[in-house]
């Protein structure tokens, strides 16, 4: 199959439309929210499980789809998904449940990662003037201030038990990275400086202070005092939310976020840091034998998990495009196309639509579960929308 012009706005818009079409027939649940587990052909294989990450990402997806195309159904679906967050995930104490199954709570922990995505969903819903979105955005900010924010470390803690009384000693970068994403969206929606100032503070702490302990890269896991925990999940390099090893996808994602911050309020360290992080990710994460970016690599440079994941490549091409736009360097345009070529050949499902979640190191198909909980192609469509946004200027 001939490859398209990956930098073309028409291609990116058509590609997003093809992903939306994959979910369209079966995602909507009339009784509330969206189904969250889909086989390769788009059929639902688990109708009961509802994860906070998928619930929030569906709101992001349909809010952005409406803003891009003005399709009334997408506005209705964004409001439908947001209502599910408030009526099913939200608890009387202000916390949002991590995982439900039907009417039962399967995991009642309060996770900073999940609440960051509630903030992101609320910020985008507020742009559509969806009922209670602005109030929810303020409430989630206040909740995270009360239960996760650690001002002495300029970072957010990770998780509390269902009672909110016990704070886990685990600290991690992933929740903080997505909180920065949510804070940027909150600032762009409200123009309230507190969101941008907090995003700048957290980004600086991770990309400068903490990265200094890892040769300019961001480690995933930390102790209660924010020292790198080099052994946490060392036997789980493929963990869904807390994998061991350096994650090239996260290095690229941080690079993208730094450039988003630079576009809002420039600082002289954003661009060189974003370049370093992206260049490191590509140099150390690119599979020289089979192509594509590995999921993770060890501190000594060895491969921690050689599988190829959809989101890693999506974040990489989004970061590459922002670097190309910012620098004008042909190198970053070439990197953008290199990532897209591998993804197009191995990760995009040209029969049914959307991207495979994971493939083998050599790009071979592995599993029939196109989109289990947590995926919903938020990364792939979000990356396309980010490139389109930069192209519009």
């Amino acid at each position: 199959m001939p490859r398209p012009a990956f930098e073309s706005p028409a291609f990116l818009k058509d590609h997003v439309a093809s992903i939306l079409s994959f979910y369209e027939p079966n995602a909507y649940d009339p009784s509330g929210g969206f189904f969250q587990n889909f086989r390769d052909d788009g059929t639902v294989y688990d109708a009961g499980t509802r994860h906070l990450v998928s619930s929030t990402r569906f709101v992001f997806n349909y809010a952005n789809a409406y803003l891009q195309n003005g399709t009334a159904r997408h506005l209705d679906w964004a409001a439908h998904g947001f209502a599910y967050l408030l009526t099913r995930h939200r608890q009387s104490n202000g916390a949002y449940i991590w995982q439900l199954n039907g009417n039962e709570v399967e995991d009642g922990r309060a996770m900073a990662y999940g609440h960051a995505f509630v903030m992101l969903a609320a910020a985008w819903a507020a742009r559509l003037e969806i009922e209670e979105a602005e109030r929810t955005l303020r409430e989630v900010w206040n909740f995270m201030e009360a239960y996760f924010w650690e001002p002495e470390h300029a970072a957010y803690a990770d998780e509390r038990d269902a009672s909110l009384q016990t704070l886990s000693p685990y600290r991690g970068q992933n929740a903080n990275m997505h909180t920065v994403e949510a804070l940027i969206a909150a600032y762009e929606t409200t123009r309230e400086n507190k969101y941008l100032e907090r995003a700048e503070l957290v980004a600086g702490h991770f990309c400068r202070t903490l990265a200094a302990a890892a040769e300019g890269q961001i480690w995933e896991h930390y102790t209660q005092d924010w020292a790198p925990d080099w052994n946490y999940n060392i036997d789980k390099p493929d963990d869904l939310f807390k994998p061991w090893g350096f994650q090239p996808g996260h290095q690229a994602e941080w690079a993208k976020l730094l450039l988003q911050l630079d576009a809002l309020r420039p600082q002289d360290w954003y661009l060189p840091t974003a370049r370093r992080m992206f260049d490191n990710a590509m140099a150390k994460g690119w599979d020289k034998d089979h192509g594509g970016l590995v999921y993770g690599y060890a501190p000594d440079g060895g491969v921690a998990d050689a599988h190829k994941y959809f989101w890693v490549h999506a974040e990489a091409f989004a970061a590459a495009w922002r670097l190309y736009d910012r620098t004008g360097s042909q190198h970053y345009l070439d990197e953008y196309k290199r990532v897209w070529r591998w993804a197009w050949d191995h990760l995009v499902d040209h029969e049914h639509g959307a991207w495979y979640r994971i493939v083998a190191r050599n790009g071979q198909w592995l599993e029939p579960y196109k989109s289990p909980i947590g995926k919903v192609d938020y990364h792939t469509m979000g990356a396309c929308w980010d490139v389109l946004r930069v192209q519009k200027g």
Side-chain angles (χ1 to χ4, degrees):
M1 177 183 295
R3 299 190 186 106
F6 297 119
E7 67 272 35
S8 162
F11 160 73
L12 292 166
K13 291 175 183 177
D14 287 346
H15 188 61
V16 167
S18 73
I19 297 172
L20 289 169
S21 295
F22 169 82
Y23 290 97
E24 200 97 349
N26 298 313
Y28 186 92
D29 180 358
S31 68
F34 298 92
F35 299 111
Q36 299 183 0
N37 296 278
F38 305 90
R39 292 186 180 88
D40 282 351
D41 63 0
T43 57
V44 175
Y45 67 86
D46 174 356
T49 303
R50 303 295 170 90
H51 197 285
L52 181 58
V53 173
S54 286
S55 293
T56 50
R57 287 177 174 180
F58 265 123
V59 176
F60 170 89
N61 287 353
Y62 289 120
N64 274 273
Y66 175 73
L67 289 168
Q68 287 288 324
N69 302 315
T71 303
R73 178 177 65 259
H74 292 150
L75 173 59
D76 293 341
W77 283 23
H80 178 76
F82 194 73
Y84 186 84
L85 288 175
L86 300 185
T87 57
R88 298 301 309 280
H89 282 282
R90 188 181 185 278
Q91 301 300 288
S92 59
N93 60 8
Y96 286 74
I97 287 175
W98 187 237
Q99 185 164 307
L100 300 158
N101 195 322
N103 294 320
E104 302 297 321
V105 176
E106 283 195 334
D107 188 340
R109 287 176 298 168
M111 309 290 284
Y113 184 102
H115 286 77
F117 274 101
V118 176
M119 184 184 294
L120 182 72
W124 284 98
R127 297 186 201 189
L128 308 185
E129 299 183 350
I130 290 174
E131 188 175 358
E132 298 192 64
E134 286 191 21
R135 176 186 61 79
T136 300
L137 178 58
R138 292 191 298 270
E139 288 181 352
V140 177
W141 161 271
N142 290 334
F143 182 89
M144 294 185 73
E145 287 291 287
Y147 291 104
F148 295 117
W149 178 239
E150 297 186 317
E152 68 277 18
H153 297 293
Y156 290 87
D158 211 78
E159 65 182 75
R160 288 183 176 270
D161 68 356
S163 73
L164 302 181
Q165 299 304 305
T166 303
L167 180 65
S168 166
Y170 173 82
R171 301 291 184 271
Q173 78 79 24
N174 203 4
N176 283 272
M177 182 188 69
H178 282 294
T179 300
V180 169
E181 175 191 20
L183 290 165
I184 291 171
Y187 171 73
E188 291 177 332
T189 297
T190 67
R191 292 292 157 176
E192 292 185 35
N193 282 328
K194 68 179 181 181
Y195 297 119
L196 181 57
E197 291 167 358
R198 179 62 56 79
E200 293 170 334
L201 180 63
V202 175
H205 184 63
F206 278 85
C207 298
R208 304 178 82 183
T209 305
L210 292 180
E215 300 180 341
Q217 302 173 93
I218 296 178
W219 187 244
E220 292 292 312
H221 313 297
Y222 299 84
T223 67
Q224 190 169 354
D225 296 323
W226 285 99
D229 187 342
W230 300 106
N231 293 315
Y232 184 88
N233 269 359
I234 195 168
D235 58 337
K236 297 179 180 179
D238 60 347
D239 191 86
L240 182 60
F241 295 114
K242 298 176 180 178
W244 182 81
F246 287 108
Q247 300 290 298
H250 284 156
Q251 313 299 315
E253 200 164 355
W254 271 113
K256 179 192 75 174
L257 293 172
L258 291 181
L259 294 172
Q260 289 178 357
L261 287 170
D262 195 49
L264 293 171
R265 188 155 63 185
Q267 295 189 32
D268 59 8
W269 67 271
Y270 284 144
L271 178 58
T273 305
R275 292 186 75 160
R276 184 194 71 227
M277 295 179 73
F278 178 83
D279 291 347
N280 259 334
M282 294 300 293
K284 297 180 179 181
W286 192 263
D287 187 332
K288 295 176 177 59
D289 295 323
H290 299 283
L293 287 161
V294 301
Y295 190 47
Y297 55 87
D300 66 3
V303 175
D305 184 346
H307 291 99
K308 310 295 168 59
Y309 283 74
F310 79 105
W311 70 266
V312 176
H313 295 77
E315 293 301 334
F317 80 65
W321 187 267
R322 279 194 173 265
L323 283 166
Y324 169 63
D325 176 75
R326 186 70 170 78
T327 67
S329 170
Q330 181 68 33
H331 168 70
Y332 291 114
L333 179 58
D334 291 343
E335 292 289 64
Y336 172 85
K337 293 178 179 178
R338 177 163 70 138
V339 173
W340 252 118
R341 284 195 297 269
W342 201 90
W344 187 256
D345 291 348
H346 301 288
L347 285 164
V348 175
D349 182 347
H350 298 286
E351 180 180 358
H352 298 295
W355 291 38
Y356 298 115
R357 183 185 76 91
I358 180 176
V359 295
R361 183 174 188 174
N362 64 1
Q364 293 301 302
W365 178 90
L366 281 179
E367 62 180 29
Y369 307 113
K370 172 76 63 61
S371 185
I373 57 170
K375 182 174 181 280
V376 307
D377 278 82
Y378 135 89
H379 281 284
T380 52
M381 290 190 288
C384 291
W385 284 320
D386 194 64
V387 174
L388 286 166
R389 182 181 182 184
V390 174
Q391 289 176 338
K392 291 178 181 176

